[in-house]
Amino acid sequence: MMPTPMIPLDWDSLRGPPPRPRAAHKGDFGHVFVLGGGPGMGGALALSCSAAYRAGAGLVTAIGHPAAAIYLAAQLPEATWRDWPASFADWLPATAVLAVGPGLGQGLAPHNLLQEIGSMSQPQVWDADALNILARMGPTLLRSDALRIFTPHPGEAGRLLGISAAAVQADREGVVGQLLARYGGVWVLKGQGTLLGDATRRRRCDLGNPGMATGGSGDVLTGLLAGLLAIGMAPWEAAQVGVCLHARAGDLAAARLGEESLLAGDILHALPDVLQELPRHG
């Protein structure tokens, strides 16, 4: 069988969301729930929630450890808050989009919550410690056929396959195929020339720069992808648009500030400008 070809993504071929109807209300644009924010990691949760809003989500709720609530209150008063629950039963809407992992930690409570999320049907984005828990527990954790986007860096991808980060970097295209075969879903393998794949397609995004190798950059991408899912994009479309928006925002921020000075928040603040560059559907 011939390998699926890796095709470069063309920024000019991408399309943004359609214009909003004049009579729209916040309920028309989805509700993102971001699970993360362990002790000392509330900033990751705030970055992801902010990016979900910047992508167009109508409502965003952070779910975190109580110690992380102050980060969200200080950085994003538009979002609502819930402490880590014992269970999601009876309160998480069927129409929710879940982003799991930013600053989550790998303790008992996150493990238990991920076991429940693995059986849910809502669309999901998995990143950071959610991927580390998945690596530990294996693909049987994913007990439902929910639409999922996974966003590992090389180290996380290696843990998911039981190989080193160096081995991932030596065969990035092959690793995407292995991750798909083992876990299904849509995969975004981050790094220079971010690779995307699903069951039948492969793409490469050549935008971005080394300044984006900074803490919190991945949290922005996670929230951005969840926000695009919330406004109605299919996972494959959301992955392509989200990865390129994130990378182009990083390039714009680096052009303004320099690569050495780039912060994840600078990528976040550049998102509105690059989103306006995209032609719209409809």
Side-chain angles (χ1 to χ4, degrees), residues 188-228:
V188 174
L189 179 57
K190 295 182 288 195
Q192 182 183 11
T194 292
L195 303 183
L196 297 83
D198 71 358
T200 61
R201 295 164 289 196
R202 304 287 189 275
R203 299 291 185 272
R204 184 183 71 248
C205 177
D206 293 320
L207 300 171
N209 64 84
M212 299 175 70
T214 185
S217 177
D219 302 315
V220 174
L221 177 61
T222 297
L224 176 58
L225 293 171
L228 294 174

Side-chain angles (χ1 to χ4, degrees), residues 9 14 125 148-151 185-189 194-198 203 205 221 224-226 228-229 233-247:
L9 275 167
L14 299 176
V125 182
R148 297 185 179 94
I149 302 174
F150 303 92
T151 63
V186 174
W187 285 84
V188 174
L189 179 57
T194 292
L195 303 183
L196 297 83
D198 71 358
R203 299 291 185 272
C205 177
L221 177 61
L224 176 58
L225 293 171
L228 294 174
L229 291 175
M233 285 191 179
W236 181 245
E237 181 185 18
Q240 293 180 91
V241 172
V243 165
C244 285
L245 277 173
H246 182 258

